[in-house]
Amino acid sequence: MKNKSSSRKPRLNEKQRAWVNSFLSSHPNARVRTIYELDGDRVVQIEWWENTNPVILDPKTYIQGIISYNMWVKLRKSGDPRKTSEFSYRITPPEKRSALWHLTGQLSLELPQCYEVAEPNNPVIIKPKRRNTKTKKLKNFFNILFLYQKLVFNFILQI
């Protein structure tokens, strides 16, 4: 008999699905590409795209580029991201396009200023928790102290 769990695709639970849906609703043109399981958590690949600001050349032509985003985020069972997501993007250079309708807009900006696109930021950033290093140092100190006492005690027994 074949094991059903090994052939079934991983699915998101309600809390994970809620997080993904809220992310998708806040980013237009977004969709879930893949979902897979890793160490009991779900890794979700989300991709989305957006147009850069159009530069109007004349009433029928404009220049516009596209930014494509790709993100892999590892979600806990509680629906929260476990760590900062792996994020990549690709900027397609602006190209000249024609419109079927009459374009209106500001024409006074210089073209290099209009083409400037800010570098995208990772939307899911988890700050690392501060670890108490004093307790680790104390544990190491007590471990060393215990070993030293053990050596001294063994040395005394041998005499």
Side-chain angles (χ1 to χ4, degrees), residues 10 12 31-36 43-47 71-73:
L12 301 175
R31 67 180 181 146
V32 175
R33 289 284 293 179
T34 57
I35 300 170
Y36 61 92
V43 178
V44 181
Q45 180 187 6
I46 301 173
E47 71 175 15
M71 180 180 74
W72 290 268
V73 63

Side-chain angles (χ1 to χ4, degrees), residues 80-97:
D80 299 327
R82 184 165 294 280
K83 59 182 181 176
T84 301
S85 65
E86 295 179 28
F87 177 72
S88 64
Y89 61 92
R90 187 184 50 172
I91 300 175
T92 305
E95 50 189 44
K96 192 173 182 179
R97 301 177 187 182

Side-chain angles (χ1 to χ4, degrees), residues 11-12 35 61-62 79 87 90 95-96 104 112 120 131 140 143 145 149:
R11 298 182 185 207
L12 301 175
I35 300 170
T61 58
Y62 64 99
F87 177 72
R90 187 184 50 172
E95 50 189 44
K96 192 173 182 179
T104 58
R131 303 286 182 199
N140 289 340
N143 285 341
L145 184 64
Q149 288 175 346

